[in-house]
Amino acid sequence: MIISDRLAQIPESYFGKTMGREIEHGPLPLINMAVGIPDGETPKGILDHFANALYQPENQKYVAFHGKVEFKQAIVNFYQRQYGVELDSEEEVCILYGTKNGLVGLPTCIVNPGENVLLPDPGYTDYLAGVQLADGIPKTLPLAPPYYLPDWTQISNDTLINTKLVYLTYPNNPTGSVASQQVFDDAIKQFKGTKTKIVHDFAYSAFGFDAKNPSILQTEGAKDLAVEIFSLSKGYNMSGFRVGFAVGNKEIIRALKKYQSHTHAGMFGALQDAATYALNNYDDFLEQQNIKFRNRRDYIQAQLDEVNIPYEPMAGGIFLWLQTPPNYDGEQFVSYLLQEQSILVAPGIPFGQNGKHYVRMSLALDDEQLKEAIARLKSLQSLYHQQ
């Protein structure tokens, strides 16, 4: 097999090897709760704008590597409107061809071989690959239930001194926990004046059920050391478009742009036009999305409470972090649910060692499927309460 030593050391992407595979399940109709792809359609206005943009001659040719002026200005306006954060469209904005590309590519841009990178546990699975591709040293940032927030006193000074980058992600994938502005204030204070930088993965920004999710850039001094990565995939039902952006620290943005100028040749102009239109015109849609998923959260938690099935409080995002029954780890429970209840969920272990006795359930299902899935789960209450 021809593969480089560097690539060989990286484990297979969990979702890369599972999405699209043929699933063998029990006798009931399959309910897929494993993948966080929003179940709604992209708003018609965005699709119409995208369709019209396809016919524009300027979009049928190469475009500027670092994005259209109109798209970058829409990002600036959006952050001012939503978070009161001022951005420089040229120096503090980097367009991304899907946020995963930015999150995985960032260590290559700013981390030197042998430097530490703190990764949340539990946290998104593919951060690790980016660290390994950069020959960085992954270190665990342990997050404990029920709120899964960083405790910087738990990290040794030796680790902190050699840490170049810290990943944060709120609302957290997979736990559904959220951060207050104080959490970000503490993080910026912790690393201010050091070589450590912070990247905040803000993919589920639209989904804050008990309060609006803050941006890390709202913290005073955050742009001195932090960038935030924003996705249009979830809030706008645009996952197939693969459009996102990074905003914040000028030096990190400059490094990301240089990296992308060698790995990409400019985002398709019609995609940029569609994203521009979404950012400029669909603030109300983001609120509708939040209400829809908050109602789903309320329903699911109430149903599980009825039968005393344990889960971690879900304050944002689109996933429920469900504890496994006694005598099951996450992978065993995934197999049980698939064969006995025809429910597909994601095991907790790909998200970190702290996920060993959890599974992640997506709420991105229509109401009928969601009710059926919860009814099947409730029928398993005896597994949780064996004497």
Side-chain angles (χ1 to χ4, degrees):
M1 182 176 183
I2 300 176
I3 189 170
S4 70
D5 292 342
R6 178 177 286 130
L7 190 57
Q9 73 169 333
I10 299 171
E12 293 290 331
S13 166
Y14 174 75
F15 291 107
K17 70 182 180 181
T18 56
M19 282 188 66
R21 69 177 180 177
E22 186 173 340
I23 302 297
E24 295 182 4
H25 58 87
L28 298 170
L30 179 67
I31 300 177
N32 188 345
M33 306 182 77
V35 181
I37 300 175
D39 54 302
E41 296 183 358
T42 306
K44 184 177 182 299
I46 298 173
L47 293 177
D48 289 343
H49 197 82
F50 180 47
N52 291 332
L54 292 172
Y55 292 92
Q56 300 303 313
E58 66 181 59
N59 288 332
Q60 297 160 22
K61 299 177 175 63
Y62 289 135
V63 296
F65 271 32
H66 299 307
K68 292 188 175 187
V69 171
E70 295 83 1
F71 185 20
K72 289 182 287 188
Q73 189 59 48
I75 293 168
V76 169
N77 294 343
F78 178 84
Y79 257 73
Q80 176 63 53
R81 199 167 62 244
Q82 290 284 334
Y83 305 111
V85 171
E86 295 184 3
L87 295 168
D88 183 297
S89 63
E90 293 302 319
E91 294 192 300
E92 295 177 337
V93 175
C94 178
I95 292 168
L96 298 172
Y97 312 84
T99 55
K100 178 175 176 177
N101 285 336
L103 291 163
V104 174
L106 183 57
T108 295
C109 300
I110 68 169
V111 175
N112 295 310
E115 291 182 318
N116 297 334
V117 179
L118 290 181
L119 302 179
D121 180 357
Y124 180 57
T125 61
D126 285 329
Y127 300 151
L128 175 61
V131 179
Q132 292 175 320
L133 286 169
D135 289 331
I137 301 174
K139 296 288 187 177
T140 297
L141 175 60
L143 305 178
Y147 301 117
Y148 294 94
L149 299 173
D151 180 354
W152 304 113
T153 66
Q154 298 299 307
I155 312 298
S156 72
N157 286 333
D158 287 345
T159 295
L160 290 175
I161 288 171
N162 191 40
T163 293
K164 186 60 173 289
L165 182 63
V166 177
Y167 281 78
L168 298 176
T169 173
Y170 294 101
N172 181 277
N173 173 12
T175 69
S177 57
V178 298
S180 66
Q181 199 70 56
Q182 185 63 52
V183 171
F184 293 137
D185 291 349
D186 292 343
I188 297 302
K189 181 180 179 181
Q190 173 70 37
F191 296 108
K192 188 176 181 63
T194 72
K195 74 173 185 178
T196 306
K197 307 303 180 187
I198 299 173
V199 55
H200 178 227
D201 180 356
F202 208 19
Y204 298 92
S205 56
F207 306 95
F209 304 138
D210 305 314
K212 181 180 174 69
N213 291 310
S215 162
I216 194 172
L217 300 184
Q218 290 173 284
T219 291
E220 184 178 355
K223 287 198 287 185
D224 293 339
L225 64 152
V227 292
E228 189 159 72
I229 293 187
F230 187 98
S231 173
L232 277 74
S233 294
K234 317 301 181 183
Y236 297 94
N237 288 341
M238 293 176 66
S239 56
F241 287 67
R242 310 306 302 145
V243 179
F245 53 84
V247 291
N249 180 265
K250 293 180 180 180
E251 293 181 356
I252 300 175
I253 293 299
R254 188 181 303 119
L256 272 170
K257 284 184 172 182
K258 181 176 181 179
Y259 174 77
Q260 289 201 141
S261 69
H262 290 289
T263 57
H264 298 85
M267 180 181 289
F268 182 33
L271 276 178
Q272 294 188 55
D273 291 347
T276 300
Y277 191 78
L279 290 172
N280 286 340
N281 295 282
Y282 281 86
D283 287 0
D284 289 346
F285 184 76
L286 295 180
E287 180 57 30
Q288 293 168 20
Q289 288 277 78
N290 189 47
I291 292 170
K292 178 167 71 173
F293 278 84
R294 182 175 64 207
N295 289 340
R296 291 175 178 179
R297 185 278 308 261
D298 291 346
Y299 171 76
I300 286 175
Q301 292 191 166
Q303 291 295 306
L304 294 179
D305 286 345
E306 281 187 3
V307 292
N308 199 26
I309 290 179
Y311 57 87
E312 300 302 343
M314 182 184 177
I318 65 173
F319 303 111
L320 184 78
W321 196 227
L322 183 75
Q323 292 183 35
T324 61
N327 304 318
Y328 287 83
D329 65 20
E331 292 176 323
Q332 292 168 336
F333 196 45
V334 167
S335 296
Y336 181 89
L337 287 174
L338 194 58
Q339 297 307 316
E340 299 299 325
Q341 297 294 333
S342 298
I343 297 174
L344 179 63
V345 297
I349 195 65
F351 301 95
Q353 290 299 315
N354 288 339
K356 184 175 181 179
H357 293 287
Y358 290 87
V359 295
R360 192 194 74 172
M361 295 172 45
S362 171
L363 276 58
L365 300 169
D366 63 49
D367 290 344
E368 184 176 337
Q369 279 198 312
L370 204 58
K371 288 180 180 179
E372 174 61 24
I374 296 306
R376 295 183 196 178
L377 280 174
K378 289 175 70 175
S379 73
L380 304 178
Q381 59 179 300
S382 61
L383 287 181
Y384 284 89
H385 307 297
Q386 294 174 349
Q387 300 296 322

